[in-house]
Amino acid sequence: MGELMTKRLTKAVLSGAALATALGGIAAPAFAQRDPAYAAARAAGQVGEKMDGYLGIVGEETAELRRLVNDINIKRRAVYSERAQANNATLEEYALTAGCQAILATSPGEKYQAPDGSWQTRTSAKPMRDSRCP
């Protein structure tokens, strides 16, 4: 397959995955929002959305915070895997698209990972996102 065709196919897969993510919601939301520890960690800026579609620890890590993040990320990975297969995308492509959407959905004051890997605090402006985001 030619390079142009590969780029078009990848863009189509990512666009489809973005639409599926938008229609189906981002993976962690329902169960994570019911967890007061997650809500507290997010509000305190201890966790943030990463470019790869997973939750990350911002700053000092504790055993409880690591357990919480691991639990959410395991659940996200399961959802991403299922949805990626349904959309003929790779897990990594789907997770990136979900990360793009999760970062876009952050509220002012919440943490997210910028394309350079640094942790940023969301302001009222649009967050910085990866150039591969649909």
Side-chain angles (χ1 to χ4, degrees):
M1 199 179 313
E3 186 176 335
L4 181 59
M5 185 63 142
T6 301
K7 285 182 181 180
R8 284 184 181 167
L9 181 60
T10 299
K11 189 169 186 155
V13 166
L14 291 176
S15 294
L19 178 60
T21 300
L23 294 175
I26 298 168
F31 56 82
Q33 289 172 358
R34 287 182 283 226
D35 187 338
Y38 168 74
R42 191 172 177 107
Q46 295 174 307
V47 298
E49 295 296 339
K50 292 174 39 183
M51 296 297 305
D52 64 4
Y54 297 95
L55 197 61
I57 296 175
V58 180
E60 188 176 338
E61 181 176 323
T62 65
E64 184 60 24
L65 201 52
R66 173 53 50 206
R67 183 206 59 75
L68 175 73
V69 167
N70 285 346
D71 182 57
I72 289 171
N73 285 340
I74 288 167
K75 291 173 182 172
R76 284 187 181 190
R77 183 178 173 88
V79 171
Y80 295 166
S81 179
E82 181 181 303
R83 291 187 182 169
Q85 187 174 17
N87 287 284
N88 292 325
T90 67
L91 176 63
E92 293 76 19
E93 289 170 334
Y94 195 90
L96 172 74
T97 302
C100 293
Q101 297 301 315
I103 288 170
L104 192 58
T106 56
S107 298
E110 294 180 339
K111 298 287 189 179
Y112 71 94
Q113 190 179 48
D116 67 3
S118 65
W119 287 105
Q120 302 293 316
T121 302
R122 175 76 190 265
T123 65
S124 58
K126 285 186 177 183
M128 295 178 275
R129 297 190 316 149
D130 192 288
S131 61
R132 298 171 292 168
C133 287

